[in-house]
Amino acid sequence: MCNTDCCSNPKGKAGTKTAINSTNSSDIIPTPESLLYPYEVIEEIADFITKGSGMRPKIGIICGSGLGSLADIIQDPKIFEYEKIPNFPVSTVEGHAGRLVVGTLEGATVMAMQGRFHFYEGYPLAKCSMPVRVMKLCGVEYLFATNAAGGINPRFAVGDIMLMHDHVNMLGFAGNSPLQGPNDPRFGPRFPALVNSYNKDLINKAIEIGKAMGIESNIHVGVYSCLGGPNYETIAELKALRMMGVDAVGMSTVHEVITARHCDMKVFAFSLITNKCATEYSDKKDDEANHDEVMAVAKNRQKACCELVSRLIREIHMASA
Ligand SMILES: O=P(O)(O)O[C@H]1O[C@H](CO)[C@@H](O)[C@H]1O
């Protein structure tokens, strides 16, 4: 005798067409995060930030591991510790300070997350990328997402910057999405298209800026993939990713980009290559990625990353002035 709900549910017996085709709302199992963060809650958080800062920022920045200095260059900053923002999660990863910084950069109004949320911290994807929706309701039109990543493309060197022009969503392959659960059309459509997710004009402008900075040989355009982490990848996984056309691998960003595109933001994203991933077996200890190295490389390259971001923001601001 089976005691599961499917057999005891009087509305539709398992195995019948009625049960399979049913669209009763009681058949939908909302994910806990879609219940936690309905539109009204996101709106409350956004109100808290816009009223508290007196600003409606136009550009949102997510600082990658060790790249928190992107928020330190913001002028006249109003700082919101995550733990003081109602309904906000807390950062648990080293190199992610856990505060939201609102102010101006190159004349543009910006808000930066100094600390992002990762799936491996135990947060569902919708919670990891919930701040992107907060940004949207604060008035943000452009998302700048940055990350530290391992370079799989053999042409990449440690310290290089890869401008993301596409991604492979490995968590999506496994059936996980920040958009899972009931869709609220006030954010965006049920089935958003993701081709052209990474704004081509911004990529081209960033390439030009790289030239002007004299770092064109350190700038690449490529494909990022996000794995769940927190473990780094095996050689076999890295080989598989390379065969799929992935150039750099990390544990973030993709779900933020999906959420941003769902609510029609323009997206610019880059990976700072903090380590080279081995795609052949060897006994070298050097082949093992570690977070201290990731942080050290990010610290070393923060000046170049800050300059790239500042100059690009200046261009956006000038074009809209
Ligand atoms: O993607 P960000 O947050 O930059 O951090 C990257 O660095 C950490 C691993 O060293 C992981 O969290 C990975 O995703």
Side-chain angles (χ1 to χ4, degrees):
M1 169 82 182
C2 172
N3 290 323
T4 59
D5 279 354
C6 68
C7 297
S8 57
N9 179 359
K11 275 200 261 92
K13 290 190 191 87
T16 67
K17 272 205 158 143
T18 325
I20 291 165
N21 293 335
S22 168
T23 52
N24 282 337
S25 61
S26 60
D27 291 338
I28 298 168
I29 306 163
T31 51
E33 61 274 23
S34 65
L35 294 174
L36 270 175
Y37 291 107
Y39 191 93
E40 291 70 22
V41 170
I42 305 271
E43 200 167 38
E44 262 173 46
I45 305 174
D47 278 356
F48 178 84
I49 290 155
T50 50
K51 290 199 178 107
S53 65
M55 272 189 229
R56 284 190 65 75
K58 186 169 173 185
I59 297 173
I61 302 169
I62 303 177
C63 305
S65 280
L67 292 172
S69 53
L70 291 168
D72 291 335
I73 56 175
I74 293 174
Q75 284 137 20
D76 305 318
K78 296 270 181 344
I79 292 169
F80 300 85
E81 306 288 339
Y82 287 170
E83 57 216 24
K84 303 221 172 102
I85 303 174
N87 293 305
F88 227 68
V90 290
S91 281
T92 67
V93 184
E94 202 198 326
H96 291 265
R99 37 194 231 159
L100 202 59
V101 183
V102 187
T104 58
L105 189 54
E106 299 294 337
T109 47
V110 299
M111 65 192 283
M113 287 178 71
Q114 211 171 27
R116 63 148 53 88
F117 306 113
H118 304 84
F119 188 60
Y120 62 75
E121 291 175 78
Y123 298 128
L125 288 181
K127 193 164 185 170
C128 293
S129 52
M130 171 277 292
V132 173
R133 288 186 165 173
V134 172
M135 286 179 177
K136 175 73 182 181
L137 297 197
C138 283
V140 166
E141 293 168 29
Y142 293 85
L143 177 70
F144 277 43
T146 69
N147 61 62
I152 305 182
N153 186 321
R155 290 190 302 109
F156 292 2
V158 169
D160 285 356
I161 290 170
M162 184 193 81
L163 309 175
M164 288 170 61
H165 82 114
D166 208 347
H167 68 233
V168 176
N169 180 9
M170 293 305 287
L171 295 176
F173 278 23
N176 208 338
S177 165
L179 306 181
Q180 235 162 33
N183 183 59
D184 188 329
R186 286 173 290 182
F187 287 119
R190 172 77 288 185
F191 300 110
L194 287 185
V195 289
N196 303 318
S197 282
Y198 298 86
N199 189 281
K200 287 195 183 68
D201 289 343
L202 295 177
I203 292 176
N204 289 335
K205 283 194 173 90
I207 292 171
E208 288 309 311
I209 291 168
K211 282 185 191 150
M213 288 168 62
I215 57 164
E216 62 265 43
S217 59
N218 303 109
I219 302 252
H220 311 277
V221 177
V223 175
Y224 174 89
S225 185
C226 165
L227 270 64
N231 54 285
Y232 294 103
E233 302 71 34
T234 65
I235 300 276
E237 286 162 353
L238 291 162
K239 277 175 187 271
L241 289 170
R242 186 68 197 133
M243 279 194 286
M244 290 167 78
V246 172
D247 297 294
V249 62
M251 309 168 195
S252 69
T253 308
V254 167
H255 37 279
E256 297 156 355
V257 171
I258 292 171
T259 304
R261 290 302 298 150
H262 180 243
C263 62
D264 201 27
M265 283 183 186
K266 294 191 177 76
V267 171
F268 172 73
F270 72 79
S271 299
L272 173 66
I273 306 301
T274 51
N275 53 290
K276 268 177 92 77
C277 295
T279 48
E280 297 301 332
Y281 294 98
S282 93
D283 293 333
K284 281 192 286 167
K285 192 79 182 157
D286 282 4
D287 285 348
E288 291 185 359
N290 73 79
H291 194 57
D292 289 342
E293 179 193 8
V294 167
M295 299 280 292
V297 172
K299 199 164 169 231
N300 252 327
R301 295 294 285 161
Q302 57 189 353
K303 200 161 162 266
C305 294
C306 285
E307 187 169 347
L308 177 68
V309 166
S310 304
R311 287 194 185 209
L312 193 52
I313 288 179
R314 187 191 314 159
E315 295 222 5
I316 292 173
H317 182 60
M318 303 282 270
S320 67

